Amino acid sequence: MKTQWLAFMAGIIWLAAGFNVCRIGVEAWRALTATTAGMVLGSLATLVLFSVMFVKMLFKNVRRIGRIYPAHRRIWHLMPLRSYLVMAVMITLGIILRSCQAVPRTFIASFYVGLGGALMLAGAVYLSALFCPKDL
């Protein structure tokens, strides 16, 4: 399997996850009666912080995929095992966070919008692998 196709499939997964996280944040935001400047700044800060982290991770991941002999590449090579475990922990913590009454809805709204945007941006960079045949 080619590096570009694994990166493309990872991009679709990251885009879908980002869209879903952002959707949860937008729904939480819409349920609020007011928007504060802190919420907007929180979303932007989260977007920037996680975008830098995710984009750095994905370049490293595409290089890792490129080092796997092409005949041995499989769909599960989209991410290293550690990333699958981190993803499972993040999903679990997200569910716990949203169900915890002590966490303000304003935090949920702004954090999820920023995080979802960062995931979608990283997914879009992964998708660009189809147009950059060498490496990202």
Side-chain angles (χ1 to χ4, degrees):
M1 188 172 285
K2 290 185 174 184
T3 303
Q4 293 83 7
W5 285 107
L6 278 175
F8 176 77
M9 287 183 268
I12 296 296
I13 291 168
W14 281 62
L15 270 175
F19 178 80
N20 191 47
V21 169
C22 196
R23 180 189 56 77
I24 292 167
V26 168
E27 287 174 2
W29 204 310
R30 290 177 64 193
L32 299 171
T33 55
T35 296
T36 65
M39 288 174 61
V40 174
L41 289 175
S43 287
L44 290 174
T46 303
L47 174 72
V48 170
L49 182 72
F50 279 99
S51 291
V52 169
M53 184 178 77
F54 290 154
V55 170
K56 195 166 150 182
M57 266 178 32
L58 74 86
F59 281 114
K60 184 178 175 182
N61 190 42
V62 170
R63 284 191 299 272
R64 181 194 61 81
I65 292 169
R67 288 191 302 267
I68 300 170
Y69 187 70
H72 296 145
R73 290 184 196 146
R74 301 292 181 258
I75 189 72
W76 53 84
H77 290 128
L78 290 173
M79 296 182 290
L81 176 61
R82 191 182 102 202
S83 292
Y84 286 109
L85 297 173
V86 167
M87 186 172 35
V89 168
M90 287 179 69
I91 290 169
T92 303
L93 288 176
I95 292 168
I96 292 168
L97 186 71
R98 286 193 319 273
S99 65
C100 181
Q101 298 301 318
V103 178
R105 297 294 115 193
T106 54
F107 173 79
I108 297 291
S110 61
F111 181 75
Y112 271 62
V113 168
L115 180 62
L119 285 165
M120 287 190 289
L121 178 65
V125 174
Y126 262 124
L127 292 177
S128 72
L130 282 180
F131 305 106
C132 305
K134 268 235 176 243
D135 250 346
L136 284 174

